[in-house]
Amino acid sequence: MADQLLQIRRRRSQEDELTRRRFLELVSASAALASGCSPDRPEKILPYTENPRDVTPGVSTYYATSLLIDGFATGLVATTREGRPVKIEGNPAHPASLGATNVWHQASVLELYDPDRGRAVSKRGLPATWDALDAFLARPVTGQGEKLRLLLEPTSSPLVHALVSAVKQRFPASKVTFYAPTPGQVPGAAARALFGATLAPRWDLSHADVVVALDADFLATPHDLRPARDFATRRRVRASDGAMNRLYVVEPSVSVTGSLADVRLARPARRVQLLAAALLAALDKRPDASNGALTRLAGALDDDERRFVAALVKDLASRAPGATLVLAGERQPAEVHVLAYALNVALGNLGATLSFSEQAVPETAGDQDLPALAREMHAGAVDALLVLGGNPAYDAPADLGWTRALQAVPVSLFAGLYANETARAATWYAPLAHPFETWGDGRAQDGTWSLVQPLIRSLHGARSVTELLAIVAGAPRTGDYARLRSAFGAPRGEVRRLDESGAERLEHTDPAVESAWERLLARGFDESTAFPRQVPEPRPAAVTDALTRLAARDAGSGLELDFLRSPTVHDGRFANLSWLLELPAPIVKLCWDNAFFMSPATAARLGIPAVERSEPHPVVEVSHESRSVRGPVVVLDGHADDTVSVWLGYGRDGDERLAKGVGFDAYRLRTNDAPSFASGASVKLRPERYPLAFTQLEERQHERALALTTTLAAYRAHPDFTAEHKRPLPSILPEYRFEGPAWAMSIDLTICSGCSACVVACQAENNVLVVGKEQVRNGRVMHWLRVDSYRVGSAKSARFVHQPMMCQHCGDAPCEYVCPVNATVHSPDGLNEMVYNRCVGTRFCSNNCPYKVRRFNWFDWSVHERANQGSVELQRNPEVSVRERGVMEKCTYCVQRIRAAEIRARIERREIRAGEVTSACAQACPTQAIRFGSLTHGATAMVEWRAEPRSYYALHETGARPRTMYLARVDNPNPELT
Amino acid sequence: MIETPVLVGAPSDAELTLALTRSVWQPPRKAWLALLGLSGLFALGLFALIAYTFSEGVGLWGNNIPVAWAFAIINFVWWIGIGHAGTFISAVLLLLEQSWRTSINRFAEAMTLFAVVQAGIFPLIHLGRPWFAYWLVPYPATMELWPNFKSALPWDAAAVSTYFTVSLLFWYLGLIPDLAVVRDAAPGIWRRRIYGVFALGWRGSARHLRHYRIAYGMLAGLATPLVLSVHSVVSSDFAITILPGWHSTLFPPYFVAGAIFSGFAMVTTLMVPIRRLFGLEHVITTRHLDNVAKFTLLTGLIVDFSYLCEFYIAWYSGEAPEYYTFFHAFITGPNAGIFWTAMVCNVLVPQLYWFSAVRRHPIATLCVAILVNVGMWSERFFLIVISLEREYSVSAWRAYSPTWVDWGIFAGTLGFFLFLFLLFIKYVPFVPVSEVKELARELAEEGHA
Amino acid sequence: MLEPAKRHARELARPVFYAEFASDTAAVDAARRLVERGHGVLDAFTPRPVAALEELVAPERSTLNRSVFVGGLIGACTGLGIEWACNAWDYPLNVGGRPPFALPAYIPITFEAMVLFASLTAFFGFLHRAGLPWLAHPAFEVPGFERASNDRFFLLVERAGANDEELQALLVELGALSVSGTPARETPRRDPDAVAVTPNTEPAE
């Protein structure tokens, strides 16, 4: 036994090392993959003397692919270098991306290389082989599958659904469950009730003048970046006499959307239904709508809510039909969505700003829900359970007793990216391939069929969910590529051919099909597959039903507990990604932890002492239905009273080494009947304190001209209110003549939502290393780009202005003249350059930087911090040096991209074109609030924005003459509510 | 009132030689040995911690962004400040023909040198990559890159190294005749030889003295503006920036006054124990204590006035960041306690020197001097650290707290300083013998007249 | 101005007497009388500066101050020159929008270089003029010379053109505690004859 263990340990440690040889193997293999061969068969290793096709050393190659989050596909473009994916961008043509990305897309490339990913099949914790697992999967149960159960994550993938059907064909009596801990879309039941069909809403925010978000964080939808873009186009006020939309938000905590609101009402989530009912009562004039339930619900409002509703109703009524939009969030119950749809119907928005289409992730695909499955498991009605993805042992509702239920199942399999909590409880563990390692597909929210292309051969020989399903279904093991290829074209024309590198390719005999397939691969999706928009006919009775049900249900009282998807680690699936763990959460700026959030008034009522953000925080024990969890409290301005909100996804206890011990597990408080919010929680102060890592400690601006704000009315009255912040400053310094393009940035604070995608994009592009919680607490975070969030308005209805702050590339840079060794100087095209090799590390430049955007390598982070080590090093951008300890670093305006474009332009004997270069942050930005380009390129948005009256330079009075220009945040408050 | 003499009695030349060189030949005392051992341990600790910092990185210290400069620079400025009094006493008072300087100038100069040695450690070790410190020097490198002389740091490097060199030359030039005295009085051949080498063959030649006097006077004349320039340059490290709390044209005189203030306090701190230990009350008299205290009071008042000016300008400028730094951050900020320590020690405590009883009482003046040293260290702390903690970008505000390595290095320099100083007072005649003889002669002549 | 080495060689080539006196006044009186009688008093060795003796043996002003001025000037030019050459001539860079030749910023180093060069000139200029270091000067071989740094005052009296016995007697008469002499010699150093020609005589007081 001891010998065996020793062997296991040795093998693991060997696997931990991604050797050079192994890496080259992978690289050449993945290069061969790029030409479309199946990864199942062993390929010949190609020496680099004979270049694999499409790979030129030193030149990036780009592949269109997709990533599924919450089951929905977002089209992406992956940059690979010598066969290794290094950066993810949005696919500009893809409807769910529009070229933008969010933090999770950006971090997905880190997930690919995560050294903690599962590497081998195991059975009861001991190493096993794929062959043994295949044997089990080929025959998991006997008979018709009465005792076979499948548990999958909700997905839009037609391939997965087809294979699930195949499994059902082979085991007709088996049952399939789709489960995700946090809702990914609004409940289809609402549409089913109101329109008679399970439909998904399609919002058109680009035509809505008034947007009412009822607990809806639509600007931070994890899988769809279109709402944010559409909202921004209507939001951006172009001239001082321009128009902009108005955003009303009701929400318990402070979300990204809420921070941007013009009118923000912080209320417990359970009161949203009352507000929706009150709105409906005031707006829907039909006689049957004014029933007793409605008046009862609407009558429960307090004074502030009544004022809010009155003003909102007046505003909505004053708008043209179809020019408004009422949104309810996916956390809210179906009844509230019925009311929201009814409101839109009453406002004439149906068919205008609101239409419907088929659900891309079909809610009805499963046979039973998780509680039913758990009941069966407890009852011993399950012999074999196949959990393909997800992490139910960690995130299932606490009252299901999931782990005990799993123990009642004789044989279970967990297939996942990591050997997580569920893997530990299951019999078998199979490592799942990362989306960048497999073929696959999915649909965007609007139905667009998007391809998942592998970018590299599976690093650990892992397999995809579809491959496992195919074995269970007894389908021929042709591989995902063949299956996908077959789904696309007529299967009968396929032949296998050898390409010039000797690898096998699947080709079609019909050249038209073949070229269409190649086009699809190149584009990454097929736009013709988007679901048609529908404008269904509402049934008014459904509204009455919903109202009656709401009125009958006890809305709950006492302290409300709100379970929120973490803005950084989602539902916990990304909890091992150091970029996300260290990403300061939007608005709160907390990283490496979660916490219980509450308003100052509630904290005072509960006797929780006020502390500075830098001090250790008080710890509370929050109890709900006999379960309790301990965690630190963060008092948050703008949080609803009588509510405690908490991020899910922390307190992980799987094999993920970074995630372990970060934060606490709030799932343990969550029950099946109240997955999003629950009433009746109690809070008890504990004697201990817990230190938290915030990147921003102060939320007011202290009269500094950093992030300027105004209102639309004030802007119209005084368009030149920023004149003081961009006037020419007297100077005795000479005027430098810059040559070539003049790189610059314009950032519109009005449409910056603070989502922080730019921060992770910058980190991925520029090899920004993570430093860990202790060092963040020490003030040594390395992000080149930070998003500062300053409070606007009173503490009670706080909103936040977000300011992406990075090196401003000052013309008269204060950092430069204080450097004793000329390590930071100005380039002829006006960049503030940081020469790492020349830096001796006096840190004088940082002291003299008014924007405090310079970062210092206090240690050799790649040695000092474990999160930077191991295979994640493969993600590093070869165009950007990894900085040595002791040198200063900062935003370079992505100079490597500028220089690459220069080289391209020189080879082609031309000037750099407008729009040819953009920075990583600007490229990622979902609302396009960051614009990058050259001042010499004329009519680009970046240049035109600077001419707008509200443009200004941050801290202009310091005389640094920055290149980055901000556009002041304009809010459009309702005058009746100010 | 009868002025206390700068020399008590009318000792003969031989008596003076004996009195002032005796300690060199006597076997070391136990107390001296114990102190030397202790300070040597601290010095070893200093080198160990420097090695630790070099191997791991300056991340071992408490510095962060925004407080990129902290203990190292505080200690640098503090030690450099202390290093001002020696040369000031020697040079300026020589030029002003202040006869009382004679008894204390030698050890004040040594104090300067050793303080500058401590100060010089910090700019080197605070670098992120200290092994490239020589890049601050213009030398023809293969990369053809040069230092940037617009930065105050090359000024610093030039000023501190010049100051050290000139102070060393000045000290050594003054020491040559006394080394000859020790050489000639040395009991054994080896000591004669060793001291003889350092005495360079000095024989009190009248022909040499003619040049010697000019050279010494010239060095004094050059050292005087140098004293003023060094701390002006050091203050430029802060004054040339745009940081509220640093960006001030008042800094050069303010820093120079503060430096001499702290330097005189350190002279008192060392002088009082030395005269007691070596029984030199007749050479270092209460007149010396009194005069040094008066200088401390005077420079202290200049420092106080500078504080007033700084606060006034912060208020008068109407600049929100400037106002915030002075009227919020200093007074109630994260390290406000240090600010108030500085105010008490630098503003209130020196006012005791208005009373001549305090000035002439060795223990009282020692206490005041130690508090002034603490106060001046605190002043550098709040100027450097609190200003950085609360600068323009509010989102980057963050407090600073030192680590044990920070404290260890600071304590190590105190030990290293004491170590060097103990060696100095044991093996070098720390009261200038020939100058005291000259003084005795002059006083005798005055007495006859 | 003679090269110091040559000058010292010439100085040592002369036969001299080292006359020891007990006090500065005695030495000054004796020196004055010797000069009045036409004897050359070449130097005086005293434990502390005696102004009157200096006036007698070396009345001319030192030219060291001129050298220091020139040294300072060279230093200032070197300092400013290096700054100009590095930042404005050899490799001009746009540093914070400041002009390549930013004179105000270059003043501190110019000043420091001036002081450094001037100080070095003063120090080494003194050593050069004084012919130091000279560890084995013949004077050190004069018996009792170690008291020259303590409480005795020595005069260096030229013997050339005078009768040694007469001069010796005169010195004793003028209060010399002892008179030692060196003969004229070609090689000034390491001369085994450098011994007292007359025994020390205790003063008759």
Side-chain angles (χ1 to χ4, degrees), chain A residues 33-179:
Chain A
L33 244 184
S35 51
C37 75
S38 159
D40 258 353
R41 283 172 299 280
E43 275 93 349
K44 217 169 73 182
I45 294 173
L46 305 176
Y48 250 88
T49 44
E50 290 172 51
N51 261 357
R53 221 177 66 160
D54 304 336
V55 172
T56 313
V59 175
S60 303
T61 358
Y62 304 92
Y63 296 99
T65 184
S66 308
L67 191 72
L68 272 63
I69 295 178
D70 296 342
F72 297 95
T74 312
L76 304 173
V77 177
T79 309
T80 71
R81 287 295 299 253
E82 288 84 48
R84 132 185 105 82
V86 294
K87 182 76 172 54
I88 300 301
E89 305 293 354
N91 186 340
H94 192 275
S97 159
L98 303 169
T101 41
N102 60 28
V103 293
W104 298 305
H105 301 137
Q106 287 295 338
S108 60
V109 68
L110 187 70
E111 190 181 39
L112 169 68
Y113 297 115
D114 192 338
D116 293 348
R117 275 178 56 189
R119 285 154 191 258
V121 179
S122 65
K123 185 180 183 186
R124 298 207 166 85
L126 296 175
T129 60
W130 279 108
D131 289 343
L133 180 63
D134 288 351
F136 160 66
L137 283 177
R139 201 71 205 160
V141 287
T142 52
Q144 299 290 300
E146 290 85 353
K147 293 201 155 189
L148 173 65
R149 297 292 178 268
L150 270 70
L151 177 58
L152 286 91
E153 291 179 284
T155 179
S156 61
S157 164
L159 199 59
V160 171
H161 285 294
L163 284 162
V164 167
S165 303
V167 171
K168 295 274 288 181
Q169 259 174 14
R170 185 170 172 218
F171 298 107
S174 65
K175 286 182 185 166
V176 179
T177 302
F178 289 93
Y179 170 73

Side-chain angles (χ1 to χ4, degrees), chain B residues 13-14 17 138 144-150 154-155 158-159 162 165-166 169 172-173 180-181 183-184 196-197 200-215 218-219 222 225-226 229 233 434 437-438 441, chain C residues 24-25 42-49 54 57-58 60 62 64-65 68 82-83 86-87 90-91 95 98-100 105-106 108-109 111-112 116 118-120 122-123 126 129-130 132-135 137 140 145-146 149-151:
Chain B
D13 286 345
T17 305
E144 291 190 9
L145 272 169
W146 302 106
N148 168 29
F149 294 112
K150 290 165 199 120
W155 310 351
T162 300
T165 311
V166 173
L169 294 180
Y172 187 61
L173 193 64
V181 173
R183 173 196 64 200
D184 294 341
V197 167
L200 302 180
W202 177 264
R203 45 197 182 272
S205 158
R207 286 178 178 278
H208 293 180
L209 272 167
R210 173 179 62 141
H211 299 302
Y212 180 84
R213 204 184 305 284
I214 294 287
M218 279 283 156
L219 279 178
L222 289 164
L226 192 63
S229 85
V233 165
S434 61
K437 283 179 186 167
E438 196 179 358
R441 173 76 192 171
Chain C
D24 52 347
T25 43
L42 298 177
D43 204 346
F45 307 101
T46 54
R48 55 182 156 79
E54 282 176 50
V57 299
E60 71 277 24
S62 169
L64 188 57
N65 45 3
V68 171
I82 286 176
E83 291 177 289
C86 291
N87 285 174
D90 185 47
Y91 204 148
V95 173
R98 270 67 179 169
Y106 293 165
I109 288 183
F111 172 79
E112 299 296 339
L116 182 66
S119 301
L120 291 172
F123 184 78
F126 154 70
R129 281 172 169 75
L132 295 178
W134 189 345
L135 301 187
H137 191 273
F140 295 126
F145 192 76
E146 66 271 7
S149 66
N150 186 351
D151 57 350

Side-chain angles (χ1 to χ4, degrees), chain B residues 35-36 38-40 79 114 118 270 412-425:
Chain B
L35 265 178
L36 189 77
L38 189 69
S39 58
W79 277 118
F114 302 145
Q118 310 311 319
L270 296 173
T413 54
L414 288 172
F416 190 29
F417 174 78
L418 192 60
F419 182 77
L420 294 174
F421 198 80
L422 286 169
L423 286 179
F424 161 77
I425 54 174

Side-chain angles (χ1 to χ4, degrees), chain A residues 614 694-704 706 775-781 786 788-790 805 814 816-822 835-844 846-860 864 884-888 955 957-958 960, chain B residues 53-70 72 126-133 135-136 139 141 145-154 236-238 240-244 246 319-322 324-325 388 390-399 403:
Chain A
S614 54
F694 292 90
T695 56
Q696 185 180 345
L697 303 175
E698 177 64 45
E699 61 174 23
R700 288 167 301 156
Q701 292 196 52
H702 292 279
E703 301 167 56
R704 324 255 158 134
L706 288 160
Q775 298 297 337
V776 174
R777 273 184 60 74
N778 266 348
R780 291 165 177 183
V781 74
R786 62 173 199 262
D788 296 338
S789 297
Y790 296 109
M805 181 57 81
E816 288 178 6
Y817 71 87
V818 298
C819 176
V821 290
N822 274 332
V835 189
Y836 309 129
N837 282 348
R838 181 64 180 167
C839 180
V840 297
T842 66
R843 309 186 289 287
F844 204 172
S846 171
N847 289 341
N848 208 25
C849 172
Y851 308 98
K852 283 292 171 287
V853 290
R854 289 177 155 266
R855 299 286 175 252
F856 186 68
N857 287 277
W858 300 97
F859 291 110
D860 192 345
H864 198 262
E884 187 186 348
R885 96 147 143 100
V887 305
M888 195 52 85
L955 298 174
E957 75 276 19
T958 61
Chain B
T53 305
F54 276 19
S55 68
E56 290 295 307
V58 277
L60 293 173
W61 303 355
N63 301 40
N64 55 30
I65 302 289
V67 189
W69 282 0
H126 104 289
L127 293 181
R129 303 201 290 175
W131 48 92
F132 290 134
W135 284 358
L136 265 75
Y139 73 102
L145 272 169
W146 302 106
N148 168 29
F149 294 112
K150 290 165 199 120
S151 167
L153 295 186
S236 303
D237 291 351
F238 312 102
I240 66 162
T241 68
I242 60 173
L243 190 75
W246 285 16
E319 287 276 318
E322 191 86 21
Y324 188 92
T325 297
L388 284 169
R390 295 287 179 266
E391 45 68 73
Y392 284 106
S393 264
V394 183
S395 70
W397 285 6
R398 195 169 279 275
T403 64

Side-chain angles (χ1 to χ4, degrees), chain A residues 313-544:
Chain A
V313 164
K314 204 170 157 193
D315 194 2
L316 287 169
S318 69
R319 307 283 172 156
T324 58
L325 183 60
V326 181
L327 306 169
E330 63 272 3
R331 302 174 65 244
Q332 289 289 328
E335 290 82 4
V336 172
H337 286 275
V338 172
L339 299 190
Y341 291 155
L343 274 168
N344 282 313
V345 172
L347 289 164
N349 296 336
L350 191 61
T353 53
L354 177 69
S355 54
F356 288 86
S357 69
E358 200 179 311
Q359 278 188 322
V361 175
E363 257 183 27
T364 49
D367 300 302
Q368 60 182 358
D369 59 5
L370 193 69
L373 174 63
R375 274 194 301 276
E376 284 187 341
M377 287 158 67
H378 277 297
V382 182
D383 274 356
L385 174 70
L386 310 180
V387 184
L388 305 177
N391 189 5
Y394 163 70
D395 57 26
D399 52 350
L400 296 188
W402 177 265
T403 312
R404 264 185 301 111
L406 197 60
Q407 277 158 8
V409 178
V411 189
S412 54
L413 161 77
F414 172 71
L417 210 53
Y418 299 94
N420 57 20
E421 293 88 336
T422 310
R424 196 171 297 159
T427 319
W428 287 90
Y429 167 69
L432 270 193
H434 190 269
F436 296 159
E437 297 173 334
T438 65
W439 289 96
D441 66 353
R443 286 184 184 278
Q445 177 112 11
D446 69 351
T448 304
W449 187 50
S450 314
L451 276 186
V452 177
Q453 278 202 76
L455 309 167
I456 187 167
R457 189 176 170 183
S458 177
L459 292 169
H460 312 303
R463 299 208 193 138
S464 66
V465 169
T466 41
E467 284 171 282
L468 299 178
L469 279 173
I471 301 171
V472 181
R477 296 193 55 190
T478 55
D480 289 332
Y481 174 72
R483 271 189 283 277
L484 207 55
R485 184 72 180 70
S486 306
F488 174 76
R492 237 167 288 225
E494 282 165 5
V495 290
R496 290 182 191 284
R497 290 208 180 118
L498 294 179
D499 69 6
E500 59 265 46
S501 63
E504 254 186 303
R505 292 170 56 82
L506 203 61
E507 276 182 19
H508 205 278
T509 46
D510 180 354
V513 174
E514 192 54 41
S515 64
W517 171 251
E518 298 264 316
R519 270 204 309 281
L520 176 65
L521 283 186
R523 198 166 164 72
F525 66 97
D526 180 0
E527 58 266 65
S528 67
T529 52
F531 298 135
R533 284 177 186 256
Q534 307 173 21
V535 183
E537 194 57 39
R539 301 181 305 179
V543 181
T544 318

Side-chain angles (χ1 to χ4, degrees), chain B residues 67-369:
Chain B
V67 189
W69 282 0
F71 254 47
I73 306 296
I74 298 164
N75 296 340
F76 164 68
V77 178
W78 187 69
W79 277 118
I80 278 281
I82 284 168
H84 272 62
T87 309
F88 183 84
I89 289 171
S90 286
V92 180
L93 300 186
L94 177 78
L95 296 181
L96 296 178
E97 299 186 335
Q98 294 289 310
S99 58
W100 59 274
R101 89 182 243 291
T102 309
S103 310
I104 57 171
N105 73 329
R106 176 66 43 73
F107 85 80
E109 286 166 35
M111 181 194 86
T112 289
L113 282 176
F114 302 145
V116 174
V117 166
Q118 310 311 319
I121 290 171
F122 286 104
L124 180 72
I125 64 169
H126 104 289
L127 293 181
R129 303 201 290 175
W131 48 92
F132 290 134
Y134 64 93
W135 284 358
L136 265 75
V137 178
Y139 73 102
T142 49
M143 303 289 279
E144 291 190 9
L145 272 169
W146 302 106
N148 168 29
F149 294 112
K150 290 165 199 120
S151 167
L153 295 186
W155 310 351
D156 248 9
V160 173
S161 56
T162 300
Y163 186 57
F164 182 77
T165 311
V166 173
S167 297
L168 184 68
L169 294 180
F170 192 47
W171 177 72
Y172 187 61
L173 193 64
L175 197 55
I176 289 174
D178 293 343
L179 287 169
V181 173
V182 182
R183 173 196 64 200
D184 294 341
I189 184 71
W190 277 109
R191 294 186 196 181
R192 276 186 79 99
R193 281 187 180 160
I194 290 166
Y195 283 102
V197 167
F198 286 107
L200 302 180
W202 177 264
R203 45 197 182 272
S205 158
R207 286 178 178 278
H208 293 180
L209 272 167
R210 173 179 62 141
H211 299 302
Y212 180 84
R213 204 184 305 284
I214 294 287
Y216 200 66
M218 279 283 156
L219 279 178
L222 289 164
T224 302
L226 192 63
V227 171
L228 303 181
S229 85
V230 171
H231 230 58
S232 300
V233 165
V234 168
S235 79
S236 303
D237 291 351
F238 312 102
I240 66 162
T241 68
I242 60 173
L243 190 75
W246 285 16
H247 177 71
S248 168
T249 47
L250 182 64
F251 263 29
Y254 169 15
F255 268 52
V256 170
I260 296 169
F261 179 49
S262 65
F264 271 107
M266 190 54 106
V267 167
T268 308
T269 312
L270 296 173
M271 181 168 72
V272 172
I274 285 174
R275 69 194 279 270
R276 178 92 186 79
L277 278 175
F278 293 92
L280 291 173
E281 279 91 347
H282 62 291
V283 181
I284 303 173
T285 66
T286 46
R287 169 90 181 279
H288 291 101
L289 298 183
D290 188 37
N291 281 354
V292 171
K294 280 177 182 164
F295 259 95
T296 313
L297 181 60
L298 173 69
T299 47
L301 288 173
I302 299 173
V303 170
D304 298 346
F305 179 70
S306 304
Y307 291 157
L308 262 180
C309 288
E310 288 278 283
F311 273 85
Y312 170 75
I313 292 295
W315 169 80
Y316 184 73
S317 69
E319 287 276 318
E322 191 86 21
Y323 185 87
Y324 188 92
T325 297
F326 281 86
F327 289 92
H328 293 280
F330 283 172
I331 292 173
T332 60
N335 292 306
I338 306 249
F339 171 81
W340 290 112
T341 306
M343 288 300 120
V344 170
C345 293
N346 294 349
V347 180
L348 295 183
V349 170
Q351 306 311 321
L352 290 171
Y353 276 160
W354 286 110
F355 305 102
S356 75
V358 177
R359 293 197 303 267
R360 284 153 183 272
H361 191 279
I363 301 301
T365 178
L366 180 66
C367 291
V368 171

